[in-house]
Amino acid sequence: MTFKEEWNRRAALVEKGLVTELKARKAYNETLARAMEYSLMAGGKRLRPILLMAAADAVGKNGDDFLVTGCAIEMIHTYSLVHDDLPAMDNDDYRRGKPTNHTVFGDGMAILAGDALLTLAFEVMLRQPAAAPETLLAVVQEMSQAAGPYGMVGGQALDLESEEKCIDMGTLQKMHMGKTGALFRAAVRSGAILAGAQNEELAALTLYAEKFGLAFQITDDILDVTGDETTIGKPVGSDERNEKATYVTLTSLDEARWLAQRTVDEATAALSILGESAAFLRELGLFLLGRKK
């Protein structure tokens, strides 16, 4: 099976799993349920659950067995997008080629939809089959730290405070280690933990995840300058409009591309101890360098 075929197979698994999880519990309010489904089922790469499953593969288990936890992390990611698009944050009108949640359902309902997806995610991950209680607790800790003030929310707070300010490269990297990188790190580490990774394997996958998250953000900044709005599914140039520092503005487009390549090389090198079982993760790094959306 080719890299693209495997990606598509697992993305389809995630789509099906998300539908199942949404139907497993009936929301208290029908409008809230529609708002949650609107953003969660709006498409996307499903990269984080795919990373989680691929990390489990890399230590010798079948990543498909951890689809439930993969669905949970996609809920956390989607919540962050719903909130990030709000007028008080990035004030975006389109996400994944569709009007953003708050433009359809209003600011208040969008906030509640994000809140609901975040809290539902932890209920879902605790339903992961064939995982020991101590393993589930370790995964919950990974996810909560990544999503909260020491990770994604902390990075978003730093992002808000950095608007219209001159920040240095160290501050930019700290911001994105939280806002973007923390959830990638949690996805990879959670897949490895669920699969029973040894300490050396977990350390290698953690380093890979950190480099992957950095490379993803660099290429995201590049796409905000060079990308096509139709392909990306959201307006380009939003960073410039919001006067945000990026890897492109702090260096240059060519230097950002060089940094992305170097970071992907470092991510790939981190996988050396895992052999062929990590082949898909290596291909994911190459995908970053050539992605269009």
Side-chain angles (χ1 to χ4, degrees):
M1 189 177 294
T2 67
F3 169 76
K4 189 63 177 178
E5 288 170 342
E6 177 64 3
W7 182 305
N8 289 339
R9 184 187 73 80
R10 282 207 157 140
L13 281 179
V14 174
E15 295 292 328
K16 184 177 179 180
L18 290 172
V19 171
T20 299
E21 294 300 339
L22 283 176
K23 290 182 178 179
R25 297 287 189 277
K26 183 174 176 59
Y28 193 79
N29 176 272
E30 181 59 33
T31 305
L32 175 63
R34 287 191 290 109
M36 292 166 65
E37 183 178 2
Y38 178 82
S39 290
L40 188 62
M41 303 310 299
K45 295 179 286 293
R46 308 309 190 192
L47 180 54
R48 288 149 192 83
I50 287 173
L51 270 170
L52 185 148
M53 291 186 279
D57 292 339
V59 294
K61 295 294 177 67
N62 183 354
D64 291 6
D65 293 340
F66 307 114
L67 173 64
V68 170
T69 308
C71 289
I73 201 168
E74 188 68 11
M75 291 177 180
I76 296 173
H77 173 55
T78 302
Y79 125 77
S80 74
L81 300 181
V82 172
H83 282 194
D84 208 35
D85 289 336
L86 287 164
M89 299 284 281
D90 283 351
N91 194 24
D92 283 325
D93 294 328
Y94 288 91
R95 171 72 66 176
R96 294 170 175 170
K98 299 174 62 176
T100 46
N101 197 292
H102 68 274
T103 65
V104 176
F105 295 95
D107 293 4
M109 192 60 71
I111 291 170
L112 293 175
D115 293 343
L117 287 169
L118 173 62
T119 48
L120 177 61
F122 288 96
E123 177 189 341
V124 169
M125 70 181 72
L126 288 171
R127 295 205 298 269
Q128 171 63 54
E134 60 270 22
T135 302
L136 288 179
L137 284 174
V139 170
V140 168
Q141 183 177 29
E142 286 287 335
M143 296 287 193
S144 58
Q145 287 180 344
Y150 311 111
M152 187 169 62
V153 172
Q156 288 172 325
L158 185 55
D159 189 12
L160 277 179
E161 288 189 337
S162 299
E163 288 183 11
E164 301 182 24
K165 293 181 181 178
C166 294
I167 62 172
D168 58 22
M169 182 63 76
T171 302
L172 183 67
Q173 289 182 338
K174 180 182 178 181
M175 178 173 71
H176 288 303
M177 279 176 61
K179 184 175 178 179
T180 304
L183 210 57
F184 281 129
R185 188 177 187 272
V188 172
R189 282 179 57 86
S190 294
I193 290 167
L194 287 166
Q198 299 299 308
N199 289 339
E200 187 179 18
E201 294 171 325
L202 184 59
L205 286 165
T206 300
L207 179 57
Y208 167 84
E210 289 170 352
K211 297 297 183 180
F212 184 96
L214 175 58
F216 184 92
Q217 186 58 54
I218 296 168
T219 56
D220 208 51
D221 288 350
I222 292 169
L223 283 174
D224 194 67
V225 176
T226 66
D228 175 74
E229 186 171 318
T230 302
T231 303
I232 295 174
K234 60 180 181 179
V236 297
S238 60
D239 291 332
E240 182 179 0
R241 287 193 300 275
N242 291 327
E243 299 185 54
K244 289 187 175 183
T246 72
Y247 289 97
V248 175
T249 61
L250 289 187
T251 58
S252 68
L253 186 56
D254 286 342
E255 287 180 280
R257 285 170 170 156
W258 174 84
L259 183 57
Q261 178 68 68
R262 189 187 74 177
T263 308
V264 166
D265 290 343
E266 291 170 344
T268 301
L271 300 172
S272 59
I273 69 165
L274 296 167
E276 284 305 306
S277 61
F280 187 85
L281 291 175
R282 293 187 184 91
E283 290 286 340
L284 272 174
L286 297 177
F287 155 79
L288 283 184
L289 296 175
R291 72 188 183 103
K292 303 298 182 184
K293 59 181 179 178

